[in-house]
């Protein structure tokens, strides 16, 4: 072999022998350099378990270490929809979801949709709120009293545009105890609109346009017809005599010329203020033939706002526990 060839082989062998010790020296020196980084840490007790979790990591002031006010997103309660438990319960995008009707392509030969039902023809529980035996129709833009469920006990139809009350409006409602038609536009009511209701105890008709009062059932306890246009001619003769359960009779702010008599012994409150009453009879409240009569129930009589001088009729209220409210001079 050529002397130059032997020289190349010898140099290669010497290079290999020199590289091995260098690699071993680096491996031996590296752990020593790395261990110096951890020589100040006590790793003997770094055994994280549920028993010593609180001793090793102190999270009592974790929130004070960093202010997340500008980073964490603000979430309003009630704005996130709950995650469905079953993925299969998710509606198909191609199906119709509740409250969102699926659009149909226009078709000239398709069926004609039915005409919308007028509001006044709908049952009361679609126009109003029905809770148990109570029907609430306040401020529902009604012009007529809607058809009521047969077991209706309380009806509230205030702040509407009802113009009249017909006898058929309450036909067959034998359980009806209270009717509140305050703040409507009622100008007239059939004579038998309320008379045939055997359980009616409260009839509230204030702030309407009535010029006559219909006949009332004998079960009535409270009648409120304030702020109407009722004259004395709009009351039947002796309209309240047979109402043995009547306790509250409020006819203030009308056009009455005299006190409607006779009044039942059950009466406790009589409000006739702001009418046109100018005189009264001696037996308006008391029996002039029975000087020992004491009418204890009737304690609230208001005649203020009338052109009557009560001091001119002292014998008219000698049996009352309290003097009427009004002008005495």
């Amino acid at each position: 072999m050529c002397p130059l060839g032997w020289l190349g082989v010898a140099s290669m062998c010497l290079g290999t022998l020199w590289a091995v010790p260098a690699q071993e020296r680096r491996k031996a020196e590296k752990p020593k350099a790395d261990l110096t980084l951890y020589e100040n840490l006590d790793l003997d007790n770094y055994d994280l378990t549920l028993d010593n979790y609180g001793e090793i990591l102190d999270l009592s002031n974790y929130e004070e270490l960093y202010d997340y006010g500008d980073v964490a997103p603000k979430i309003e309660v009630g704005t996130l929809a709950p995650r469905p438990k079953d993925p299969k319960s998710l509606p198909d995008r191609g199906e119709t979801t509740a409250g969102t009707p699926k659009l149909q392509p226009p078709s000239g030969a398709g069926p004609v949709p039915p005409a919308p039902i007028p509001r006044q023809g709908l049952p009361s529980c679609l126009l109003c709120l029905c809770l148990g035996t109570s029907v609430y129709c306040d401020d529902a833009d009604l012009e007529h009293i809607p058809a009521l469920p047969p077991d209706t006990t309380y009806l509230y139809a205030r702040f509407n545009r009802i113009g009249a009350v017909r006898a058929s409006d309450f036909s067959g409602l034998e359980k009806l105890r209270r009717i509140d038609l305050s703040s409507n536009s009622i100008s007239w009511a059939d004579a038998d609109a309320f008379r045939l209701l055997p359980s009616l105890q409260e009839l509230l008709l204030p702030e309407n346009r009535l010029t006559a009062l219909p006949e009332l059932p004998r079960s009535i306890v409270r009648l409120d017809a304030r702020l109407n246009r009722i004259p004395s001619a709009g009351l039947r003769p002796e309209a309240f005599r047979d109402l043995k359960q009547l306790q509250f009779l409020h006819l203030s702010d009308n056009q009455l010329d005299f006190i409607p008599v006779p009044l039942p012994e059950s009466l406790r409150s009589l409000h006739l203020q702001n009418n046109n009453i100018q005189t009264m009879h001696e037996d308006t409240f008391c029996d002039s033939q029975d000087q020992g009569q004491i009418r204890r129930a009737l304690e609230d009589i208001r005649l203020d706002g009338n052109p009557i001088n009560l001091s001119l009729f002292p014998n008219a209220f000698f049996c009352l526990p309290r003097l009427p409210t009004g002008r005495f001079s």
Side-chain angles (χ1 to χ4, degrees), residues 124-169:
S124 59
C125 291
L126 294 181
L127 294 173
C128 313
L129 175 63
C130 296
L131 295 177
T133 59
S134 300
V135 179
Y136 298 89
C137 298
D138 290 347
D139 199 12
D141 200 27
L142 298 178
E143 296 181 0
H144 306 285
I145 296 174
L148 300 172
D151 60 344
T152 301
T153 305
Y154 302 99
L155 170 64
Y156 300 90
R158 300 167 293 190
F159 313 109
N160 286 287
R161 296 186 292 117
I162 299 173
V165 182
R166 301 165 297 179
S168 58
D169 289 336

Side-chain angles (χ1 to χ4, degrees), residues 91-109:
D92 189 1
R93 293 182 180 270
E95 298 179 356
T96 302
T97 58
T100 306
K102 186 176 180 180
L103 297 177
Q104 299 292 339
S107 175

Side-chain angles (χ1 to χ4, degrees), residues 235-267:
L235 301 178
R236 294 182 306 103
E238 300 184 347
F240 307 108
R241 182 187 62 181
D242 297 328
L243 304 181
K244 303 301 183 181
Q245 301 184 46
L246 182 62
Q247 298 183 27
F248 304 92
L249 178 58
H250 295 171
L251 296 172
S252 59
D253 295 278
N254 276 282
Q255 301 174 12
L256 300 178
D257 298 322
F258 56 81
I259 298 174
V261 291
L263 298 169
E265 292 290 332
S266 58
L267 196 63

